[in-house]
Amino acid sequence: MNLLLRSYVMPIINVNLIEGRSEEQLKNLVKDITTVVSKDTGAPEEHIHVILNEMRKDRYSVGGKLKSEEN
């Protein structure tokens, strides 16, 4: 397989989410994402990269209000 084709079948998925989910939830999330991306793109699961970026609630806002300010 040439280099161009190899980079094509290596999807990289970035997921931004607020911290607080359990290890089990995160494991299920990356497995589900990997399965769907493989199905929809044809990329082998072992070539799919999923990057989880967990944000603190005091570093994310919606409508000008930090999530840490919510009850």
Side-chain angles (χ1 to χ4, degrees), residues 4-70:
L4 180 59
L5 183 55
R6 283 182 18 167
S7 63
Y8 173 74
V9 296
M10 186 178 70
I12 300 172
I13 297 88
N14 288 287
V15 180
N16 296 304
L17 62 160
I18 295 174
E19 66 184 0
R21 286 156 181 90
S22 69
E23 190 74 17
E24 188 67 24
Q25 288 174 313
L26 296 175
K27 285 179 183 179
N28 289 336
L29 177 62
V30 297
K31 180 59 182 157
D32 291 346
I33 290 170
T34 301
T35 299
V36 169
V37 170
S38 178
K39 175 185 165 286
D40 290 348
T41 67
E45 288 192 2
E46 60 271 13
H47 291 181
I48 298 169
H49 299 244
V50 179
I51 301 168
L52 300 178
N53 299 302
E54 291 187 281
M55 300 172 288
R56 294 180 2 202
K57 287 183 178 184
D58 62 348
R59 298 294 186 260
Y60 181 77
S61 70
V62 175
K65 186 174 181 180
L66 290 172
K67 296 301 278 182
S68 60
E69 295 175 340
E70 295 179 353

